[in-house]
Amino acid sequence: EDVAGQAYFDRVIAEDSRIEPRDWMPAAYRKTLTRQVSQHAHSEIIGMQPEANWITRAPSLKRKAILMAKVQDEAGHGLYLYSAAETLGTPRDVLNQQLLDGKAKYSSIFNYPARTWADMGAIGWLVDGAAIANQVPLCRASYGPYGRAMVRICKEESFHQRQGFEILLELSNGTPAQKQMAQDAVNRFYAPALMMFGPPDDDSPNSKQSMAWNIKRFSNDELRQRFVGMIAEQVKVLGLTLPDPELHYDEAAGRWIHKDLDWQEFKDVISGKGPCNAQRMARRREAHENGTWVREAARAYAQKQAAKRAA
Ligand code: ACO
């Protein structure tokens, strides 16, 4: 036990200041951050799949270019976050192996299928919208590299959300069939997007400690509340509805009331039994195998450079 280290850490947290990679930190703080940041990175990488499937089917060259840029941004976010996670001491190939072995989680949302072009709109508006609501407070996370990575990621996510909103707006103002397609996408993504914030507070084992450490700034339910309030207004501009007749603001309680979510479905999805888990993991493993030659070439190059330096 490092008494001076612990005192320094406690002071930094009490001052709402930042812990940096070389600072002393409790083993549990390191562990929970490695878990959260690596899961976040895995989510960005797996999250490329539902949208990548639609690049070839985007309805115009412009839409294709926008979608490609968006999917590339997600790859960038993943790389950023793996770098932030590595500063905590676990190498990236170890983190990646945890994902490939099915030991590390990634966001539940990416285990749902993207069936129509309108789903690109719903994913941008709802999924990236939920991601922003969750991630803006993470810009103030006590661990420096994570908080700083979040700043750029949130800026890009804002663009993603707007492009999704705009896809839905255009479809909603299109033919009746297009409007129906937009409504159907919103219907399917609404509840899974609300589940992205994680289990209810009384069933969230990590929240209390993560909030005490200034990693999380708001609880899962608080952020879900905030998000549902935002989309309740935005959906009116879209001329669509949310599949939640119970949704309303309770003035007396000062909070949004939404329908009960199916937490059994959530548990199934995060334990590998969602509609697309097997497909997503198979694709990720395949992509990893296809990249073997790149890793081998990089290794050979590094060895050659090291030998040159030694000579
Ligand atoms: N999908 C998959 N797993 C989840 C989800 C979810 N939507 N929500 C919670 N979990 C997992 C947690 O990772 C935790 O698992 P573990 O302890 O076995 O590792 C378990 O369920 C219990 O949940 P909590 O105690 O509430 O966990 P935590 O305090 O980590 O809160 C949260 C979960 C809010 C997702 C937090 O980790 C977080 O803010 N992460 C960063 C954001 C992120 O990962 N976003 C990815 C999706 S958005 C995108 O990338 C486009």
Side-chain angles (χ1 to χ4, degrees):
E1 199 188 343
D2 184 333
V3 178
Q6 181 74 52
Y8 173 78
F9 177 85
D10 291 344
R11 194 169 66 244
V12 170
I13 298 298
E15 285 170 353
D16 203 354
S17 192
R18 280 195 150 149
I19 297 294
E20 296 297 337
R22 287 189 180 80
D23 293 343
W24 186 90
M25 60 187 93
Y29 177 84
R30 190 184 297 278
K31 189 170 166 216
T32 204
L33 269 166
T34 303
R35 175 186 65 80
Q36 177 168 329
V37 180
S38 65
Q39 285 178 0
H40 194 165
H42 300 328
S43 303
E44 300 281 356
I45 297 299
I46 299 280
M48 294 167 76
Q49 291 186 34
E51 290 171 299
N53 278 339
W54 278 91
I55 290 174
T56 56
R57 290 173 286 172
S60 70
L61 180 60
K62 192 173 135 203
R63 295 283 184 201
K64 197 188 290 268
I66 294 170
L67 190 59
M68 266 192 342
K70 193 201 155 187
V71 174
Q72 283 183 343
D73 284 351
E74 309 294 357
H77 298 173
L79 300 187
Y80 246 50
L81 287 165
Y82 282 125
S83 297
E86 279 194 299
T87 65
L88 291 158
T90 309
R92 182 161 138 195
D93 52 352
V94 174
L95 299 172
N96 192 45
Q97 198 57 47
Q98 291 169 351
L99 174 68
L100 296 177
D101 291 345
K103 286 186 191 135
K105 293 194 172 78
Y106 58 89
S107 183
S108 50
I109 191 72
F110 301 117
N111 294 306
Y112 292 87
R115 296 192 195 287
T116 68
W117 171 250
D119 287 14
M120 298 302 98
I123 290 175
W125 178 46
L126 294 174
V127 175
D128 294 306
I132 297 168
N134 163 267
Q135 289 169 28
V136 165
L138 291 174
C139 295
R140 295 190 290 121
S142 58
Y143 188 58
Y146 190 35
R148 287 189 290 272
M150 278 298 126
V151 175
R152 172 164 173 186
I153 292 176
C154 284
K155 285 185 183 162
E156 293 182 346
E157 295 291 359
S158 304
F159 154 68
H160 297 171
Q161 190 192 21
R162 275 153 193 255
Q163 68 86 39
F165 186 86
E166 199 261 346
I167 289 174
L168 290 178
L169 188 63
E170 187 138 325
L171 290 172
S172 177
N173 289 316
T175 65
Q178 285 173 323
K179 183 166 184 173
Q180 187 51 47
M181 181 165 63
Q183 183 62 59
D184 173 63
V186 170
N187 291 351
R188 281 182 290 108
F189 277 93
Y190 173 74
L194 291 190
M195 290 179 190
M196 287 173 67
F197 295 93
D201 294 349
D202 55 16
D203 195 22
S204 164
N206 300 300
S207 277
K208 198 160 166 268
Q209 182 61 74
S210 289
M211 287 177 74
W213 277 329
N214 295 342
I215 297 170
K216 288 170 90 161
R217 298 287 179 162
F218 299 97
S219 75
N220 297 358
D221 286 329
E222 281 168 346
L223 291 174
R224 191 165 15 247
Q225 282 276 310
R226 187 177 290 192
F227 174 67
V228 90
M230 265 169 39
I231 61 172
E233 288 306 311
Q234 293 172 357
V235 78
K236 295 178 192 162
V237 181
L238 287 174
L240 300 172
T241 57
L242 295 173
D244 188 351
E246 290 166 45
L247 182 63
H248 68 279
Y249 189 73
D250 183 334
E251 292 285 349
R255 61 193 299 266
W256 286 88
I257 308 293
H258 58 76
K259 70 176 178 188
D260 286 338
L261 298 169
D262 183 348
W263 292 109
Q264 189 53 49
E265 174 182 319
F266 174 78
K267 283 181 185 147
D268 288 346
V269 169
I270 67 173
S271 60
K273 289 175 280 193
C276 298
N277 296 59
Q279 179 190 334
R280 301 291 187 239
M281 288 308 299
R283 287 288 294 279
R284 182 85 280 282
R285 289 196 186 96
E286 193 184 296
H288 187 71
E289 274 156 32
N290 289 342
T292 306
W293 70 271
V294 179
R295 292 187 293 279
E296 279 171 0
R299 216 166 9 246
Y301 181 76
Q303 278 164 3
K304 216 163 104 183
Q305 294 302 308
K308 258 193 206 164
R309 272 196 303 274

